[in-house]
Amino acid sequence: IMREIRNKTGETVIFGKIVDSKGVVLEEVPSSQPVKFLIDVGHRFSLHTSAAAKAIMAFLPDDECDRLIETITFNTYTERTLSSEFQFRAELKEVALNGYAFDKGERFTELHCVGVPIFNHRNYPVAAIWISGPAYRLSLKDLPHFGEQLIPYATRISQRLGYEPMLVQ
């Protein structure tokens, strides 16, 4: 499925989850483009700057999400970094409504990402899948389009974990 996403979008596809208070990259399928974003499997990343972490956290039970937010140090890396708990919580609400999350150059100015959650058989967000690429290909105006494209792929992965979208209310 990750290769299918790469072939459809042309961008690097990454799979990861939250471990303790950081995100962790578990797998990657590199872009077919000559200019691409690559990240090492095992790399740990900040929750407040990551499309993947936002995609997962937006669907966590409130108490679990609150505990994770308490661990975040809202370091500012770029002018787009979410630098407060208030901003972060507002973005999580938007993610929950849309079903996808963005990194709009929040850690690295010219890197944009779009992520969607992966659910298990209990409708619990266990991981995320996301695409990463240069801002000139993943423009701010196109990010929602990519988010919509990713949802069916994430649903297929989730179904392999027993997720049944028709039973979710």
Side-chain angles (χ1 to χ4, degrees):
I1 293 174
M2 291 176 69
R3 284 189 295 276
E4 287 179 43
I5 296 168
R6 188 262 326 267
N7 294 344
K8 173 96 173 167
T9 66
E11 300 302 341
T12 297
V13 181
I14 306 165
F15 182 84
K17 65 181 287 178
I18 295 174
V19 177
D20 299 324
S21 60
K22 294 284 186 185
V24 178
V25 173
L26 300 177
E27 187 60 75
E28 170 185 62
V29 175
S31 168
S32 54
Q33 303 281 344
V35 175
K36 64 190 94 193
F37 173 76
L38 298 174
I39 190 164
D40 293 331
V41 170
H43 175 76
R44 296 175 71 86
F45 51 87
S46 300
L47 301 179
H48 73 296
T49 61
S50 161
K54 293 176 204 172
I56 295 167
M57 291 176 68
F59 295 93
L60 284 173
D62 290 342
D63 61 328
E64 288 183 50
C65 185
D66 291 344
R67 278 195 301 274
L68 281 172
I69 290 173
E70 289 173 11
T71 70
I72 297 172
T73 302
F74 288 92
N75 294 326
T76 301
Y77 301 102
T78 74
E79 64 185 27
R80 291 202 173 117
T81 303
L82 301 176
S83 58
S84 73
E85 181 179 330
F86 177 79
Q87 288 177 314
F88 188 70
R89 286 184 184 277
E91 184 140 336
L92 291 182
K93 286 180 184 174
E94 191 172 320
V95 172
L97 290 173
N98 295 328
Y100 47 79
F102 306 135
D103 168 354
K104 300 173 270 191
E106 295 162 37
R107 182 66 174 94
F108 302 102
T109 305
E110 295 303 317
L111 176 67
H112 289 176
C113 306
V114 181
V116 293
I118 304 296
F119 297 98
N120 69 10
H121 64 288
R122 296 180 185 204
N123 194 33
Y124 183 85
V126 294
I129 194 157
W130 67 101
I131 59 171
S132 296
Y136 69 88
R137 286 200 309 259
L138 293 177
S139 69
L140 293 177
K141 71 177 180 54
D142 291 332
L143 292 180
H145 168 73
F146 285 108
E148 293 294 335
Q149 281 188 324
L150 287 175
I151 290 171
Y153 293 106
T155 301
R156 284 175 51 201
I157 296 168
S158 297
Q159 287 172 321
R160 290 181 178 184
L161 299 176
Y163 172 72
E164 296 184 42
M166 299 307 288
L167 299 178
V168 177
Q169 301 186 357

